[in-house]
Amino acid sequence: MKSLPPSPTVDRTRRSRLAFILALGAVLILATIVRLHGLTAVAIWCDEASSIITSRYPLPDLWFHAAHDVHPPFYYVLLHLWMAMFGEGLFSIRLLSAIPGIATVLVGALLVRQVASPKAALLAGLLLALFPFAVRYSQEVRMYSWLTLLLLSATLALMHWLRNPERKGWLALYVLLMTASLYTHYFTIFCALVHWLHVGALSLRHEGQRPATYRPLRRAPWWLANIAIALLFMPWVPKLYDQLTHLPQLEAGGDVGWIAPVTLWSLATSMWEFWTLSDGQSMPRAVYFLLPLTVIALAGVVVRTDRSPQRSARFLVLYTFAPMVAVFLLSLISPLLVERYLMFAAIGLPMLVALAIAQLWRKSRLLAMAVLVTTLAVDRVGLNEIYRIDEPQFDQLVDYVNRHYQPGDTVVISDLFWYFTYVYYNTTPVVPQLLTLPKSEGGAGRPNAYGFGTLVDAQGPHIYVDELTQLPRQDHRIWLVGSAQPPDDFYAIPAQWQLLEDRKVGDNELRLYQAHWER
């Protein structure tokens, strides 16, 4: 008996699904191009270099050093395994951040597809692919793109479970993703707060008779899932406690306490940072406030038009703005507002714009197109900022020393901020020394065993230079690497040393001396 041909409806559905997959594939190709373009154009900077140095350690030592830093160890473990397989080349280690950045575009599009039409999902994918802040941190050897992928994926898993509570696999996936995220960055707690608020709002709604699964707070699975997350995070809790009880040491090393206090305009400034990678302060006041006010208005469109039983679009609005507001309010007590820490929330902005455009299209196509064109224009401003390289990079300075190094040379770095980057690019056999002159305000200049200092503490006796006169008293050449900005990092250079060369490379100054000592 011959099988019946598929009905026209089924055939159209298949074609629509194939078209969606192909279009989404094209968006992912665009996301890949945008994130890989200029991936190695900018030199490694301090935070990236500290990630690399931390990840070089064997896993037990890596756990120890992460416990003395300010971030949990998950990303460092990933980078450790990645470097073991693919090496420490700049393209390779930044690719580890680009991959989750590309995957986030896919997850974001699929999340919007849960809320709106395939066209809205594709538009969200397009705007995510071009979102400057996401591109910027998909090119950095840090944990922020992984944090974003994990939390957005956890949010999508939660959406699926709330729609189909009988499918416990989504809740199990949620547990794994949230646990991994907690081991990646402590700001995960703000996303967890959003999830609880949404689940609580669904549980407290009064809309007549509804199945018990619509009220997850009254059922065991949600509570068991969060208990599981807490138990899985317990091995790290003593390390977190140790970090919290050593905040003075972390602050002494500049690892905490560097965040600027918030102002009334901080959240507006953050919006500019997310889209243009600048604070927008040079703009006329009317233009400066136009961007955040437009974003709020578009979010209002999304909230007002959300009629879904699970209020999924409102969930996305909450996911985007609640962490920003919570961090801002806490920053009134103790500064916490760092835009890159909130990348997981900022990623919701292009998705909200896509949802708003989809709604506006039904009433005013001209207005919808205006919003789209304006968004793409602002994206271009931010992308241009990412790809613009105005000055020589620090790697050129280290390369110059590598090429002109002579046996017996000594290299002294003025600050930990430059030290780890120098170590990454150094190809000479010499171990660079770290200048630890007493601080101008008093006190020792040596790092302690917390923060960045944990990565050099064991080597301290061999690399610390409290005074330049402590260097071996033999006639040899000494390279001094420090900031090009006054005051001079090396304020006590022996008078009898002969300056052979002085080069400025970007923000840094490289000086070569011939050391002469009094006999």
Side-chain angles (χ1 to χ4, degrees):
M1 182 176 179
K2 294 183 179 180
S3 61
L4 295 175
S7 68
T9 301
V10 172
D11 195 46
R12 281 196 301 271
T13 301
R14 289 177 178 174
R15 287 201 303 269
S16 297
R17 187 175 300 170
L18 179 59
F20 177 77
I21 293 172
L22 291 176
L24 185 55
V27 167
L28 293 176
I29 291 172
L30 175 62
T32 302
I33 293 171
V34 170
R35 283 154 180 77
L36 297 188
H37 178 70
L39 190 63
T40 61
V42 177
I44 288 288
W45 74 291
C46 176
D47 282 12
E48 292 182 286
S50 71
S51 296
I52 299 164
I53 302 302
T54 301
S55 302
R56 284 176 175 175
Y57 285 100
L59 290 178
D61 295 335
L62 185 157
W63 182 274
F64 171 84
H65 288 294
H68 285 71
D69 190 21
V70 294
H71 296 302
F74 182 71
Y75 171 73
Y76 301 129
V77 172
L78 283 180
L79 184 57
H80 171 90
L81 299 174
W82 183 269
M83 293 192 307
M85 291 186 291
F86 303 109
E88 296 183 15
L90 186 53
F91 182 87
S92 170
I93 55 179
R94 282 190 171 153
L95 183 62
L96 182 62
S97 295
I99 290 172
I102 297 164
T104 296
V105 175
L106 173 62
V107 173
L110 295 178
L111 190 151
V112 172
R113 181 65 189 93
Q114 295 296 307
V115 178
S117 68
K119 291 182 180 179
L122 291 173
L123 180 57
L126 173 65
L127 297 183
L128 283 166
L130 299 174
F131 188 46
F133 203 70
V135 175
R136 164 69 178 82
Y137 287 99
S138 294
Q139 297 188 331
E140 182 164 295
V141 189
R142 294 294 279 172
M143 67 286 297
Y144 309 115
S145 65
W146 279 99
L147 176 70
T148 302
L149 175 62
L150 290 169
L151 289 180
L152 195 64
S153 299
T155 302
L156 178 58
L158 180 58
M159 277 187 177
H160 277 293
W161 176 70
L162 289 172
R163 290 189 176 194
N164 302 282
E166 71 283 356
R167 299 183 65 179
K168 301 298 192 299
W170 287 113
L171 194 58
L173 178 60
Y174 175 80
V175 169
L176 294 176
L177 291 167
M178 290 299 291
T179 302
S181 187
L182 276 171
Y183 276 98
T184 302
H185 201 284
Y186 297 130
F187 268 41
T188 296
I189 195 67
F190 294 106
C191 184
L193 172 65
V194 169
H195 293 166
W196 274 92
L197 288 173
H198 181 63
V199 168
L202 291 179
S203 299
L204 297 175
R205 285 168 58 196
H206 297 285
E207 299 183 7
Q209 294 295 321
R210 285 193 177 274
T213 50
Y214 277 86
R215 305 180 187 279
L217 281 186
R218 302 183 184 183
R219 309 297 293 179
W222 175 249
W223 292 94
L224 291 174
N226 282 274
I227 291 171
I229 294 169
L231 291 175
L232 289 170
F233 189 64
M234 283 301 295
W236 188 253
V237 170
K239 309 300 182 183
L240 172 59
Y241 177 79
D242 184 64
Q243 291 171 346
L244 293 174
T245 55
H246 287 87
L247 288 178
Q249 288 86 343
L250 289 165
E251 186 172 1
D255 299 278
V256 300
W258 55 269
I259 304 173
V262 295
T263 69
L264 189 60
W265 322 118
S266 291
L267 288 179
T269 297
S270 294
M271 290 296 166
W272 282 97
E273 289 282 354
F274 293 144
W275 255 296
T276 69
L277 302 179
S278 65
D279 59 15
Q281 296 289 339
S282 61
M283 298 287 183
R285 276 300 172 193
V287 177
Y288 174 76
F289 287 113
L290 182 61
L291 176 61
L293 290 176
T294 301
V295 171
I296 292 172
L298 294 175
V301 170
V302 173
V303 170
R304 192 169 60 252
T305 57
D306 184 12
R307 298 290 183 267
S308 63
Q310 299 296 333
R311 296 295 189 262
S312 299
R314 296 185 185 187
F315 185 15
L316 183 55
V317 172
L318 190 67
Y319 174 88
T320 303
F321 292 107
M324 299 181 194
V325 174
V327 170
F328 174 79
L329 293 176
L330 287 174
S331 294
L332 296 173
I333 303 171
S334 178
L336 291 172
L337 182 55
V338 179
E339 281 79 13
R340 60 182 180 269
Y341 294 176
L342 286 168
M343 179 177 157
F344 72 90
I347 207 70
L349 293 170
M351 291 189 279
L352 291 179
V353 172
L355 287 172
I357 290 173
Q359 292 299 328
L360 291 173
W361 186 262
R362 300 174 182 177
K363 296 183 178 180
S364 174
R365 294 190 175 185
L366 182 61
L367 179 58
M369 286 301 300
V371 173
L372 176 58
V373 170
T374 303
T375 302
L376 294 175
V378 176
D379 284 343
R380 181 176 180 180
V381 172
L383 293 174
N384 285 342
E385 183 66 23
I386 294 171
Y387 301 139
R388 179 171 57 85
I389 308 297
D390 288 336
E391 58 185 25
Q393 300 289 303
F394 188 78
D395 59 329
Q396 298 175 29
L397 179 151
V398 186
D399 180 65
Y400 185 85
V401 178
N402 290 338
R403 288 185 287 108
H404 295 86
Y405 166 83
Q406 295 179 9
D409 283 1
T410 296
V411 178
V412 183
I413 316 296
S414 69
D415 193 279
L416 273 179
F417 189 84
W418 316 111
Y419 187 85
F420 298 124
T421 307
Y422 192 96
V423 168
Y424 173 74
Y425 286 110
N426 179 36
T427 59
T428 71
V430 67
V431 176
Q433 309 290 291
L434 177 64
L435 186 69
T436 52
L437 289 170
K439 298 179 180 179
S440 57
E441 66 272 17
R446 292 190 173 193
N448 59 66
Y450 282 80
F452 284 161
T454 186
L455 301 178
V456 295
D457 187 60
Q459 302 170 272
H462 307 291
I463 66 171
Y464 292 159
V465 178
D466 295 333
E467 299 285 348
L468 292 176
T469 54
Q470 293 179 353
L471 292 171
R473 287 182 168 267
Q474 59 189 32
D475 291 343
H476 67 298
R477 302 193 316 167
I478 299 175
W479 300 87
L480 302 182
V481 179
S483 173
Q485 306 300 319
D488 192 349
D489 293 339
F490 298 93
Y491 58 79
I493 299 174
Q496 64 270 29
W497 286 12
Q498 178 187 358
L499 180 63
L500 301 179
E501 192 170 356
D502 189 344
R503 302 173 66 88
K504 287 183 172 59
V505 181
D507 293 331
N508 296 95
E509 183 175 13
L510 172 66
R511 284 171 282 183
L512 175 61
Y513 284 89
Q514 179 67 50
H516 298 291
W517 303 96
E518 294 180 357
R519 303 297 184 185

